[in-house]
Amino acid sequence: MSGAGGLAWRALHALLRALLCLQRALLAAPRAAAAVIAASCALLAPAALALRPAGTAPRRECGGGGRRRMRPRGAALGRQRWRLDGKALRKLPVHVGLVVTEEEPSYADMASLVVWCMAVGISYVSVYDHNGIFKRNNSRLMDEILKQQQELLGIDCSKYTMEFANQDIADQVLNCQSTLKVLSPEDGKADIIKAAQNFCQLVAQQQRTYTDLDVNELDNLLSSTNGFPDPDLVLKFGPVDSTLGFLPWHIRLTEIISLPSHQNISYEDFFSALHRYAACEQRWGK
């Protein structure tokens, strides 16, 4: 910097100090102080840029180590909140059944419920409607779930398992932390009938005797929930006071909570139902 430039730079600094002193003196008069600050910024900013030493960059207001602070993404905040909500409950169901008794199921709302279940830490989720609509259109439901995983959780879809009860769709099984099964009436009473027929065949072939039939044996013969524990909680949506054939063998000790509808359901409604389950005292038939 030339001598004249350096002298002008020092004069500018002296002027800035004087203005700061004047601003402090005017703190008792906020409007006047604001006017002085605005005027000084407008007048001195161009001069400061012109007289800045060569090779220097303007200072950037930032926090911590000179890096610009980044706001956490909304998905990250939601994921953290939901996980903390799950840990705050006195007990969390391992397996939740989502049973729709309404005539017109909503794929988007059901997908939200599934993603919320996964987000709070529920390991197994079953989706059921008595008309079998979700199961017949399981690809559409899975696409909606994967979409909402990205929107609500901001994570890669490979972190969750989408497993469907009809094992013919093997290509729709992904590796990850939570597991989903989509069920229909054929996975309820019809599955029990099929299990009984299979057991009778084993008896006829002298591979079993009738005295071998007990709770564990029947559990092993039922194919629709192979690898799934019995549901701890069923959330039933709709005005019908019935689960309409949802896993009749498996819900003998299940807590059932009824909600008016799954359509336009909010996370607060969902978490309130989990809170009711956590507060209930299960007597296991005693």
Side-chain angles (χ1 to χ4, degrees), residues 49 115 134 164:
L49 290 173
V115 173
F134 284 131
F164 292 94

Side-chain angles (χ1 to χ4, degrees), residues 201-221:
Q201 289 179 356
L202 293 174
V203 172
Q205 296 168 2
Q206 297 184 346
Q207 298 180 29
R208 292 284 192 281
T209 65
Y210 71 93
T211 58
D212 293 330
L213 185 60
D214 57 14
V215 172
N216 292 330
E217 182 68 21
L218 184 55
D219 282 339
N220 293 331
L221 290 169

